[in-house]
Amino acid sequence: MITLDEWQRQGQYESINGHQIFTRYAGDKSAPALLLIHGYPSASWDWEGMWDALTNHYYVITLDMLGFGLSDKPKNARYLISEQADIYQAVLEKLGVSDYHILAHDYGDTVAQELLARQVEGSAERHIASACFLNGGLFPETHKPILVQKLLLSPLGPLVSKLINKQKFAGSLQRIFGPEHAAHSRSDRYAMAAVKSQ
């Protein structure tokens, strides 16, 4: 495991739509491109544990969405799914990627659905070869966000992010794991990334 500081040093910032967006990419540029889309309320550091294995087979691209992780968090932004999809498309364009695969998690599933919808409509300039969705609220009527997710999305979000500490945040994430899965290290890592990003 590398630290969040090391993760940051190995990435770069791109100016996209007037915002500084933290990006990271690695691997052979001639290999198939794989776009990693993180969840909520975390960041691209979600992918740290599998980064090296993925870059052995793909040209891997990820970023911290607007409002997340190391990217800008403007107070007046609307944080629309379409805007997040625009950011991903802008990064793919800057990198000259025309054909790519998607691996998405949680909130990222919804952003990936927006990218797929654009392809179906014929408005996307890049082609999605495949998409893999990890856990997420694909069906809004069955999605049950935990309390901290609801609070962070509410008007109280900025206050909650300042009041919550790593232990409380990690504890709230524990409830989403089954009893046979040791989630301590992963939820602690999410907590560190989310709290550090505020």
Side-chain angles (χ1 to χ4, degrees):
M1 176 176 136
I2 67 169
T3 67
L4 184 58
D5 288 336
E6 290 171 308
W7 183 262
Q8 182 177 10
R9 282 195 298 273
Q10 294 171 15
Q12 54 281 315
Y13 289 86
E14 304 277 353
S15 180
I16 299 171
N17 300 336
H19 302 293
Q20 289 299 304
I21 302 297
F22 176 78
T23 62
R24 190 150 189 247
Y25 32 89
D28 184 349
K29 288 186 180 181
S30 66
L34 175 63
L35 182 66
L36 304 178
I37 308 178
H38 69 77
Y40 175 87
S42 50
S44 63
W45 196 44
D46 277 0
W47 308 108
E48 176 276 327
M50 61 181 73
W51 186 259
D52 289 340
L54 291 173
T55 58
N56 287 333
H57 304 282
Y58 298 95
Y59 178 47
V60 184
I61 303 155
T62 194
L63 58 84
D64 289 351
M65 287 185 259
L66 186 66
F68 293 82
L70 301 165
S71 291
D72 281 352
K73 299 167 188 65
K75 293 186 183 202
N76 60 348
R78 295 175 62 200
Y79 298 104
L80 301 173
I81 295 296
S82 59
E83 291 172 322
Q84 304 289 16
D86 291 343
I87 291 169
Y88 279 102
Q89 286 187 315
V91 168
L92 291 169
E93 183 177 353
K94 281 188 174 195
L95 295 174
V97 172
S98 58
D99 193 80
Y100 64 103
H101 302 270
I102 293 175
L103 177 58
H105 165 67
D106 189 61
Y107 174 81
D109 290 356
T110 308
V111 177
Q113 286 176 304
E114 171 64 21
L115 293 169
L116 285 164
R118 292 177 183 189
Q119 180 166 300
V120 170
E121 293 170 350
S123 62
E125 296 179 14
R126 276 138 205 75
H127 176 258
I128 300 167
S130 69
C132 178
F133 296 100
L134 301 178
N135 66 308
L138 292 177
F139 305 101
E141 66 277 7
T142 63
H143 179 57
K144 295 176 184 164
I146 61 175
L147 179 61
V148 72
Q149 289 176 307
K150 291 177 185 177
L151 289 172
L152 287 169
L153 278 172
S154 77
L156 297 173
L159 177 63
V160 171
S161 70
K162 292 189 184 340
L163 295 176
I164 196 166
N165 64 29
K166 174 185 165 186
Q167 289 74 29
K168 287 181 185 175
F169 185 72
S172 69
L173 287 179
Q174 286 295 328
R175 293 183 295 137
I176 66 173
F177 292 91
E180 291 111 29
H181 296 89
H184 298 286
S185 63
R186 193 45 136 173
S187 61
D188 283 351
R189 289 165 68 193
Y190 287 155
M192 289 190 313
V195 171
K196 183 161 186 170
S197 72
Q198 298 303 322

